[in-house]
Amino acid sequence: MALLNTNLKPVDGFSRLTKEKQIEYLSSLFDNPARVRRLIELFSLQDSEFQKRFDEFSENTVASYPLPFGIAPNFNINGSLYHLPMVIEESSVVAAAANAAKFWLPRGGFHTRVISTIKKGQVHFLSDANPDQLLQYEAELENFLQTRLKPLTGRMENRGGGIRKIRIVPGLDKITHYYQLDADFETVDSMGANFINSCLEEMATGLNEFYAHRLPGIRVEVIMSILSNYVPECLVEARLEAPINLLAGIHPEISPQDFARRFALAIEIARQNVSRAVTHNKGIMNGVDAIVLATGNDFRAVEAGVHAYAARDGHYRSLTQIDLSEGIFNYSLTLPLSLGTVGGLTGLHPMAAFALELLGNPSAQELMQIAAAAGLANNFSAVRALTTWGIQKGHMMMHLSNILNTLAASETEKVLAREHFNGHKVSYSAVEIFLKKLRNAGV
Ligand code: MEV
């Protein structure tokens, strides 16, 4: 199947077409329109009610795009057992998470805690007033805005949230006349993006009115009002802790002490070296994102915030810390996570709702801890493999199914291949040769 003409012409009013017309137009671009229609039909939900709901999540939806929804069982988190729902396409992630969960189950499991839950947003504005002129009214402005925003914040306040602090931050050293109205929010169980943005836009109007009264003739020009996905005050920690000698058996030829030493060195390398830090953190995000996606949360917001946090001291570093003092393996992950368990897609996407049910309908704070535990689990498995038998053994074994499917292996061929590659190194060409031999032998 190929595009008929790679020089596409602009299409007018695509979003105003009915879904059928959109599909008709898309199909007409291809040399095999019937195949496009079949593909779209195949990836549209059987239940038209649900598909309609999906269509309305976003504009111009023509089909659904499934990803594997897997379970990493047996996570002991603060003494409670969880089976984690993970949505991820990468073959080895669920297996790696499950493996770490199993390893730590009899060793105390994951210890997690929420450090803070404040989210932030800013009204960015210009003013030709000097900082003292604006700042003398800071407390009064905060009261004025808190009162003005009551109609927006009332419900959130009833749930224990609301606006916690509003301050004026001069930014004149960066941009001439530049200031921020910087606001702290508590959004309880919702991720809170819409709540925060609505509050900020109302604050922007209030800001103009307030200073027009207090400092008539002084310019206050709002440039934009938006939440920040940088949430260094919405932090969670996950920790693994056990006497080093309890790590015995990880590798037949490596003592637990030597394992811990090599592991700690790998963590120090990831702290100091950007190339390694990015990959180390990617391994953490394998687990975190899979939970974030499964529960209908915004993974782009999480990703942006986490990586900015990793560079908070001006140097991109790993998000984990290790301490081996007094014979204890003490390994922890600290990361900013802004998640919700109400609102957004959490109740509308049936699989997200199911994922949350499987987790016992957690609060947002509990979900932060579960996601952090998943991140640490994936990272522990990765660094354990990297510092012992190497990553490719497990990775390629999990990837074997994808190679077999790419090479159109039959079910019998798959069974034989899995048996064979249990004791042999997996690579694309090794599988290709193996299948060729089978096929030549008429198996
Ligand atoms: C692969 O998805 C993730 C790893 O590269 C993480 C790491 O290197 O720590 C294995």
PDB file of all heavy atoms in Angstrom, residues 90 276 279-280 282-283 286 382-383 386 391 395, ligand 1:
ATOM      1  N   GLU A  90       7.006  -1.550  24.296  1.00  0.00           N
ATOM      2  CA  GLU A  90       8.350  -2.148  24.312  1.00  0.00           C
ATOM      3  C   GLU A  90       8.297  -3.509  25.002  1.00  0.00           C
ATOM      4  O   GLU A  90       7.845  -3.624  26.148  1.00  0.00           O
ATOM      5  CB  GLU A  90       9.322  -1.200  25.038  1.00  0.00           C
ATOM      6  CG  GLU A  90      10.770  -1.621  24.882  1.00  0.00           C
ATOM      7  CD  GLU A  90      11.729  -0.615  25.517  1.00  0.00           C
ATOM      8  OE1 GLU A  90      11.433   0.598  25.531  1.00  0.00           O
ATOM      9  OE2 GLU A  90      12.778  -1.070  26.004  1.00  0.00           O
ATOM     10  N   ARG A 276      24.868   8.771  29.746  1.00  0.00           N
ATOM     11  CA  ARG A 276      24.317   7.652  30.514  1.00  0.00           C
ATOM     12  C   ARG A 276      23.057   8.077  31.289  1.00  0.00           C
ATOM     13  O   ARG A 276      22.086   7.325  31.369  1.00  0.00           O
ATOM     14  CB  ARG A 276      25.401   7.097  31.456  1.00  0.00           C
ATOM     15  CG  ARG A 276      24.926   5.991  32.357  1.00  0.00           C
ATOM     16  CD  ARG A 276      24.340   4.789  31.600  1.00  0.00           C
ATOM     17  NE  ARG A 276      23.455   4.017  32.464  1.00  0.00           N
ATOM     18  CZ  ARG A 276      22.380   3.357  32.062  1.00  0.00           C
ATOM     19  NH1 ARG A 276      22.035   3.334  30.791  1.00  0.00           N
ATOM     20  NH2 ARG A 276      21.632   2.706  32.912  1.00  0.00           N
ATOM     21  N   THR A 279      19.766   7.810  29.311  1.00  0.00           N
ATOM     22  CA  THR A 279      19.301   6.433  29.105  1.00  0.00           C
ATOM     23  C   THR A 279      18.822   5.811  30.412  1.00  0.00           C
ATOM     24  O   THR A 279      17.818   5.092  30.445  1.00  0.00           O
ATOM     25  CB  THR A 279      20.436   5.581  28.500  1.00  0.00           C
ATOM     26  OG1 THR A 279      21.112   6.375  27.540  1.00  0.00           O
ATOM     27  CG2 THR A 279      19.914   4.325  27.846  1.00  0.00           C
ATOM     28  N   HIS A 280      19.555   6.108  31.481  1.00  0.00           N
ATOM     29  CA  HIS A 280      19.172   5.642  32.823  1.00  0.00           C
ATOM     30  C   HIS A 280      17.756   6.153  33.145  1.00  0.00           C
ATOM     31  O   HIS A 280      16.881   5.381  33.555  1.00  0.00           O
ATOM     32  CB  HIS A 280      20.206   6.204  33.807  1.00  0.00           C
ATOM     33  CG  HIS A 280      20.002   5.842  35.238  1.00  0.00           C
ATOM     34  ND1 HIS A 280      20.610   4.763  35.831  1.00  0.00           N
ATOM     35  CD2 HIS A 280      19.278   6.439  36.224  1.00  0.00           C
ATOM     36  CE1 HIS A 280      20.272   4.707  37.114  1.00  0.00           C
ATOM     37  NE2 HIS A 280      19.460   5.714  37.375  1.00  0.00           N
ATOM     38  N   LYS A 282      15.548   7.202  31.011  1.00  0.00           N
ATOM     39  CA  LYS A 282      14.589   6.611  30.056  1.00  0.00           C
ATOM     40  C   LYS A 282      14.090   5.279  30.611  1.00  0.00           C
ATOM     41  O   LYS A 282      12.899   4.944  30.527  1.00  0.00           O
ATOM     42  CB  LYS A 282      15.262   6.434  28.695  1.00  0.00           C
ATOM     43  CG  LYS A 282      14.319   6.013  27.570  1.00  0.00           C
ATOM     44  CD  LYS A 282      14.141   4.533  27.443  1.00  0.00           C
ATOM     45  CE  LYS A 282      13.261   4.173  26.245  1.00  0.00           C
ATOM     46  NZ  LYS A 282      12.944   2.748  26.202  1.00  0.00           N
ATOM     47  N   GLY A 283      15.001   4.520  31.205  1.00  0.00           N
ATOM     48  CA  GLY A 283      14.619   3.233  31.796  1.00  0.00           C
ATOM     49  C   GLY A 283      13.640   3.419  32.947  1.00  0.00           C
ATOM     50  O   GLY A 283      12.725   2.613  33.134  1.00  0.00           O
ATOM     51  N   ASN A 286      10.269   4.191  31.445  1.00  0.00           N
ATOM     52  CA  ASN A 286       9.582   3.012  30.902  1.00  0.00           C
ATOM     53  C   ASN A 286       8.473   2.583  31.858  1.00  0.00           C
ATOM     54  O   ASN A 286       7.339   2.328  31.446  1.00  0.00           O
ATOM     55  CB  ASN A 286      10.561   1.834  30.771  1.00  0.00           C
ATOM     56  CG  ASN A 286      11.343   1.872  29.476  1.00  0.00           C
ATOM     57  OD1 ASN A 286      10.984   2.569  28.535  1.00  0.00           O
ATOM     58  ND2 ASN A 286      12.436   1.122  29.418  1.00  0.00           N
ATOM     59  N   ALA A 382      16.906  -2.948  34.929  1.00  0.00           N
ATOM     60  CA  ALA A 382      17.829  -2.572  33.845  1.00  0.00           C
ATOM     61  C   ALA A 382      19.262  -2.512  34.355  1.00  0.00           C
ATOM     62  O   ALA A 382      20.170  -3.105  33.756  1.00  0.00           O
ATOM     63  CB  ALA A 382      17.416  -1.221  33.254  1.00  0.00           C
ATOM     64  N   VAL A 383      19.475  -1.814  35.485  1.00  0.00           N
ATOM     65  CA  VAL A 383      20.851  -1.648  35.975  1.00  0.00           C
ATOM     66  C   VAL A 383      21.399  -2.992  36.473  1.00  0.00           C
ATOM     67  O   VAL A 383      22.581  -3.298  36.294  1.00  0.00           O
ATOM     68  CB  VAL A 383      20.922  -0.540  37.059  1.00  0.00           C
ATOM     69  CG1 VAL A 383      22.345  -0.384  37.580  1.00  0.00           C
ATOM     70  CG2 VAL A 383      20.425   0.785  36.483  1.00  0.00           C
ATOM     71  N   LEU A 386      22.403  -4.691  33.305  1.00  0.00           N
ATOM     72  CA  LEU A 386      23.563  -4.027  32.690  1.00  0.00           C
ATOM     73  C   LEU A 386      24.856  -4.359  33.413  1.00  0.00           C
ATOM     74  O   LEU A 386      25.907  -4.503  32.784  1.00  0.00           O
ATOM     75  CB  LEU A 386      23.359  -2.496  32.707  1.00  0.00           C
ATOM     76  CG  LEU A 386      22.317  -1.958  31.729  1.00  0.00           C
ATOM     77  CD1 LEU A 386      22.017  -0.497  32.032  1.00  0.00           C
ATOM     78  CD2 LEU A 386      22.803  -2.111  30.299  1.00  0.00           C
ATOM     79  N   ILE A 391      22.231  -6.348  28.936  1.00  0.00           N
ATOM     80  CA  ILE A 391      20.809  -6.065  28.715  1.00  0.00           C
ATOM     81  C   ILE A 391      20.209  -6.905  27.589  1.00  0.00           C
ATOM     82  O   ILE A 391      19.028  -7.216  27.570  1.00  0.00           O
ATOM     83  CB  ILE A 391      20.599  -4.549  28.435  1.00  0.00           C
ATOM     84  CG1 ILE A 391      19.165  -4.126  28.733  1.00  0.00           C
ATOM     85  CG2 ILE A 391      20.966  -4.164  27.018  1.00  0.00           C
ATOM     86  CD1 ILE A 391      18.843  -4.029  30.165  1.00  0.00           C
ATOM     87  N   HIS A 395      16.376  -8.748  26.810  1.00  0.00           N
ATOM     88  CA  HIS A 395      15.705  -7.852  25.881  1.00  0.00           C
ATOM     89  C   HIS A 395      15.372  -8.567  24.576  1.00  0.00           C
ATOM     90  O   HIS A 395      14.252  -8.521  24.082  1.00  0.00           O
ATOM     91  CB  HIS A 395      16.654  -6.686  25.617  1.00  0.00           C
ATOM     92  CG  HIS A 395      15.972  -5.432  25.212  1.00  0.00           C
ATOM     93  ND1 HIS A 395      15.366  -4.609  26.126  1.00  0.00           N
ATOM     94  CD2 HIS A 395      15.794  -4.873  24.008  1.00  0.00           C
ATOM     95  CE1 HIS A 395      14.843  -3.586  25.492  1.00  0.00           C
ATOM     96  NE2 HIS A 395      15.089  -3.725  24.199  1.00  0.00           N
TER      97      HIS A 395
HETATM   98  C1  MEV B   1      15.535   0.318  27.444  1.00  0.00           C
HETATM   99  O1  MEV B   1      14.216   0.649  27.150  1.00  0.00           O
HETATM  100  C2  MEV B   1      15.921   0.938  28.772  1.00  0.00           C
HETATM  101  C3  MEV B   1      17.375   0.741  29.184  1.00  0.00           C
HETATM  102  O2  MEV B   1      18.242   1.255  28.161  1.00  0.00           O
HETATM  103  C4  MEV B   1      17.559   1.533  30.460  1.00  0.00           C
HETATM  104  C5  MEV B   1      18.976   1.636  30.946  1.00  0.00           C
HETATM  105  O3  MEV B   1      19.921   1.562  30.140  1.00  0.00           O
HETATM  106  O4  MEV B   1      19.131   1.832  32.170  1.00  0.00           O
HETATM  107  C6  MEV B   1      17.713  -0.696  29.381  1.00  0.00           C
END
